[in-house]
Amino acid sequence: MLEAMTVITRNVERRDLPLVSIPICFPAMVPMFASRLDAFDGLARVVMYDDLESDETVLAERMEDATVVISTGIHFSHDLLERVSRTVRCVTFGGTGVASFVDLAQASRLGISVCNAVHYGDNAVAEHAIALMFELTHRVGTLNARMRPTAWPISDIEELTHRTLGLVGFGGIGRRVAQLARGLGMPVTVWSRHPDRAALAELGASAAPSMDDVFARADVVSLHLALNEATEGMIGDRQLDLLRPGSMLINTARAELIAPGALERRLSRGDVTAGVDVFAPEPLPPDAPLRSLDNVVMTPHVAWKSPEAFEGIVEQNVRAAVAFLHGESYNVVV
Amino acid sequence: MLEAMTVITRNVERRDLPLVSIPICFPAMVPMFASRLDAFDGLARVVMYDDLESDETVLAERMEDATVVISTGIHFSHDLLERVSRTVRCVTFGGTGVASFVDLAQASRLGISVCNAVHYGDNAVAEHAIALMFELTHRVGTLNARMRPTAWPISDIEELTHRTLGLVGFGGIGRRVAQLARGLGMPVTVWSRHPDRAALAELGASAAPSMDDVFARADVVSLHLALNEATEGMIGDRQLDLLRPGSMLINTARAELIAPGALERRLSRGDVTAGVDVFAPEPLPPDAPLRSLDNVVMTPHVAWKSPEAFEGIVEQNVRAAVAFLHGESYNVVV
């Protein structure tokens, strides 16, 4: 990192207390964590670093002697987790899908408890799915770019109202998308493995008989599944071929839900559009075929990065760390 | 125009019937008008031109001998209206604010009836106001532009939910914005000269005590007034100074509602953002100061240009012309 890194500490004189390390921190979360460190008074020393270091040796040094690591976004290699396991007994993570960042089986073997954060970004991600739909229809960002410096582009727009939204997955984010879409006058049809009939009824959404049915019937298909062994690559050429000309695919969930190459193949036919916030791998490689397609709108995995979501992550991570230090459980995954 | 122009006609052999001229046509409306020309069977001959000609001599030729002109978007100079007034008795216009395109007093003097189209774009424009808000918060278009060809921009986003939306004006579009915003979880406060308490209550919106109060309190201020002598320049430095840091101004109505230069002055302070679809003049001149401000998102007066809105315009213009030919009234302004 070229910018100066600052170390923020609390209670460091209390050598009798266990150490909590915050080895990296997203810029927006620095003041949020800083204002919550009093939660550890009488309970732990805290050392917090305010950059996004990725060098494993440096990270290991920053976690040295720590009992609890508030990791927010560290990708733990097997080696790194092994190295810190001499003292670390709890790792908290700033997101829901912690399994992509820590090998949960290895953590178990090493006697390390892993905690995550949940639902903090439901509204941010749901809004972002809607924002992607708006860009694909009203094209504000595209037109704004074309307005500079001297042009007056001729363009039409499209409306979202009355288009059928098909949701694949109906967890916290999917439900919030259904709610927002209903407010926009979009009929909502939902496929999920275990449909919650009461929630569907409450949101005025209908249950689709199959995932295929969603792809075949909806004007906008939005993915809201968690990534796991059952869902990885679950959407392939067959489902994408069912999309009708003029329809849109929105993915704010995980790129790996779609079989590698399938989205690019479908988009290259040119008759559908997509709004995508997630890629595999991230950052998206410079030579990624998606970059050269003009019927896709891409954002760099930002859907969750609102102040409200950051606050939720900070609060849940602090609570999980404090709970662990009290011998209690909060958001424990393993 | 470099593209070939096509003339579409109907009933031209019926020299006994009066002539309806459609001297220009937006591309999207060509098939829509073409499919509705049967409405004139037994009633009028129709000659329709499928380009956006602006030369007055050519336009006058295209209207020669016409009794009714379906003008959609012709700016009638005094001279042009005078020239066609030998035969023309009715001009229909493809929008609501026909006074900006035809001098109504002159039309009255010349014995020409003028008809407009109303509410066809309420949903399109309301959605576009929301789309501008999404671009100012989730920044999809900006980030998409920065993703190409090789980058992975680091960025946060913001949420709209819970931000207070202040509406200035509460006609068809304002009401639809209130409805959409409510679905997005935004509290809505409204100022209008004649507040419709029942409509406010139905939409869960509150009445603001004054226009100033909307500017001082709302997180997002969206303008939805018609342009007329009472509203021109009604919003000046004083109101814009009331905007709080971090707030947004949305204008999908008319640029002339804001005193010349006031928006640019307020934006240049850098602490507020704006989403703007309307300019004075249009097209926006290449050297317009707005073009160099990076806290404004601009679209080229496209908010109304959805297929649904085009259909509404075509339908209302055909109905107005048919009504006139039957000696009846439909959307008559003067």
Side-chain angles (χ1 to χ4, degrees):
Chain A
M1 310 291 282
L2 290 174
E3 294 125 53
M5 179 270 292
T6 306
V7 184
I8 296 165
T9 62
R10 180 121 185 156
N11 309 327
V12 277
E13 70 289 355
R14 291 288 306 274
R15 302 292 303 179
D16 57 310
L17 295 177
L19 178 66
V20 171
S21 170
I22 306 178
I24 63 167
C25 196
F26 284 90
M29 292 187 191
V30 173
M32 297 175 185
F33 269 119
S35 72
R36 288 292 283 117
L37 297 186
D38 58 353
F40 296 102
D41 290 354
L43 200 59
R45 293 171 286 150
V46 186
V47 181
M48 167 178 165
Y49 302 82
D50 74 346
D51 64 7
L52 289 169
E53 182 60 58
S54 59
D55 181 274
E56 291 213 350
T57 304
V58 178
L59 288 173
E61 283 165 11
R62 292 182 180 184
M63 291 184 261
E64 202 173 353
D65 294 329
T67 301
V68 176
V69 172
I70 295 179
S71 81
T72 54
I74 296 173
H75 280 271
F76 279 91
S77 68
H78 282 180
D79 184 50
L80 180 59
L81 198 63
E82 182 83 38
R83 281 164 79 178
V84 302
S85 68
R86 190 180 56 81
T87 61
V88 172
R89 297 277 73 82
C90 175
V91 170
T92 75
F93 173 68
T96 308
V98 59
S100 306
F101 290 75
V102 180
D103 181 329
L104 298 177
Q106 184 196 16
S108 273
R109 273 198 309 277
L110 295 169
I112 297 174
S113 175
V114 177
C115 306
N116 69 350
V118 296
H119 295 304
Y120 57 88
D122 287 359
N123 188 63
V125 178
E127 281 195 6
H128 201 73
I130 301 284
L132 288 164
M133 294 174 208
F134 270 112
E135 181 58 29
L136 289 171
T137 48
H138 287 257
R139 311 178 64 236
V140 166
T142 302
L143 290 168
N144 181 48
R146 287 172 57 197
M147 286 282 283
R148 301 171 193 265
T150 62
W152 184 260
I154 301 301
S155 177
D156 294 344
I157 61 161
E158 294 171 21
E159 296 182 29
L160 278 176
T161 298
H162 302 312
R163 296 206 192 190
T164 296
L165 174 64
L167 299 178
V168 177
F170 201 54
I173 298 171
R175 285 166 201 226
R176 184 66 183 140
V177 173
Q179 219 164 25
L180 298 177
R182 190 190 190 190
L184 295 171
M186 302 175 77
V188 178
T189 179
V190 177
W191 178 82
S192 88
R193 204 173 287 266
H194 305 289
D196 178 339
R197 304 269 164 197
L200 286 170
E202 194 191 328
L203 295 171
S206 64
S210 66
M211 189 170 80
D212 283 12
D213 181 76
V214 171
F215 279 86
R217 280 203 309 119
D219 299 306
V220 187
V221 176
S222 194
L223 308 183
H224 300 288
L225 294 168
L227 180 65
N228 54 46
E229 283 178 11
T231 61
E232 184 166 352
M234 170 178 203
I235 294 155
D237 292 319
R238 193 173 61 76
Q239 286 82 11
L240 298 182
D241 282 349
L242 295 171
L243 289 171
R244 288 174 299 138
S247 64
M248 296 178 242
L249 180 73
I250 305 293
N251 192 359
T252 55
R254 284 292 179 276
E256 295 88 343
L257 297 171
I258 303 176
L263 179 61
E264 291 80 352
R265 278 191 293 277
R266 185 66 186 86
L267 284 172
S268 66
R269 280 158 55 189
D271 64 333
V272 301
T273 58
V276 179
D277 187 52
V278 288
F279 306 89
E282 294 178 357
L284 186 66
D287 60 349
L290 272 183
R291 293 196 188 262
S292 54
L293 292 168
D294 62 8
N295 51 341
V296 61
V297 165
M298 298 181 290
T299 53
H301 206 150
V302 294
W304 63 281
K305 292 173 80 175
S306 73
E308 292 87 341
F310 285 137
E311 287 278 12
I313 290 169
V314 167
E315 186 58 32
Q316 292 186 43
N317 274 257
V318 168
R319 281 194 198 188
V322 166
F324 179 85
L325 292 164
H326 278 306
E328 297 162 1
S329 288
Y330 181 87
N331 283 356
V332 173
V333 178
V334 297
Chain B
M1 308 293 285
L2 290 174
E3 293 125 55
M5 179 269 294
T6 306
V7 184
I8 297 165
T9 61
R10 180 122 187 155
N11 309 327
V12 276
E13 71 288 357
R14 292 288 305 275
R15 303 292 302 179
D16 58 312
L17 295 177
L19 177 67
V20 171
S21 168
I22 306 178
I24 64 168
C25 196
F26 285 89
M29 293 187 191
V30 172
M32 298 176 185
F33 269 118
S35 72
R36 288 292 282 116
L37 297 186
D38 58 352
F40 296 101
D41 289 354
L43 200 58
R45 292 171 287 150
V46 187
V47 181
M48 167 177 163
Y49 302 81
D50 74 347
D51 64 8
L52 288 168
E53 183 60 58
S54 59
D55 182 273
E56 291 212 349
T57 305
V58 179
L59 288 174
E61 283 166 11
R62 291 183 180 183
M63 292 183 261
E64 203 173 349
D65 293 329
T67 300
V68 176
V69 172
I70 295 179
S71 82
T72 55
I74 296 174
H75 280 271
F76 278 90
S77 67
H78 283 180
D79 183 51
L80 181 59
L81 198 61
E82 183 84 38
R83 282 165 76 177
V84 302
S85 67
R86 190 180 57 80
T87 61
V88 172
R89 298 276 75 82
C90 175
V91 171
T92 76
F93 173 67
T96 306
V98 60
S100 306
F101 290 74
V102 179
D103 182 330
L104 298 178
Q106 185 195 14
S108 272
R109 272 198 311 276
L110 295 169
I112 298 174
S113 174
V114 177
C115 305
N116 69 351
V118 295
H119 295 302
Y120 56 89
D122 287 359
N123 189 63
V125 178
E127 281 195 7
H128 201 73
I130 301 284
L132 287 164
M133 293 174 209
F134 270 113
E135 181 58 27
L136 289 171
T137 49
H138 286 257
R139 311 177 65 235
V140 166
T142 302
L143 290 168
N144 180 48
R146 288 172 56 196
M147 287 282 283
R148 301 166 192 266
T150 63
W152 183 260
I154 302 300
S155 178
D156 295 343
I157 61 160
E158 295 171 22
E159 297 182 28
L160 278 177
T161 298
H162 301 314
R163 295 205 191 192
T164 297
L165 174 65
L167 300 178
V168 177
F170 200 54
I173 297 171
R175 285 166 202 225
R176 183 67 184 141
V177 173
Q179 217 165 27
L180 298 177
R182 190 188 189 190
L184 295 171
M186 302 176 78
V188 178
T189 180
V190 177
W191 178 81
S192 87
R193 206 174 286 265
H194 306 289
D196 178 339
R197 304 269 164 197
L200 286 170
E202 194 192 327
L203 294 171
S206 64
S210 66
M211 190 171 80
D212 282 12
D213 181 76
V214 171
F215 279 85
R217 281 203 308 117
D219 299 307
V220 187
V221 176
S222 194
L223 308 183
H224 301 288
L225 294 168
L227 180 65
N228 53 47
E229 283 177 12
T231 61
E232 185 167 352
M234 171 179 203
I235 294 155
D237 292 320
R238 194 173 62 76
Q239 287 81 12
L240 297 183
D241 282 350
L242 294 170
L243 290 170
R244 289 174 298 136
S247 64
M248 295 178 242
L249 180 73
I250 305 294
N251 192 358
T252 55
R254 283 293 180 274
E256 295 88 344
L257 297 171
I258 304 177
L263 180 61
E264 291 80 352
R265 279 190 293 277
R266 184 67 186 87
L267 284 172
S268 65
R269 281 158 55 190
D271 63 333
V272 302
T273 58
V276 179
D277 187 51
V278 287
F279 307 89
E282 294 178 355
L284 185 65
D287 60 349
L290 272 183
R291 292 196 188 261
S292 53
L293 291 168
D294 60 9
N295 51 341
V296 61
V297 165
M298 298 179 291
T299 53
H301 208 149
V302 295
W304 64 279
K305 293 172 81 174
S306 73
E308 293 87 341
F310 285 136
E311 287 279 11
I313 290 170
V314 168
E315 186 58 31
Q316 291 185 45
N317 273 259
V318 168
R319 283 194 196 188
V322 167
F324 179 86
L325 292 164
H326 277 306
E328 297 162 2
S329 288
Y330 181 87
N331 284 356
V332 174
V333 178
V334 296

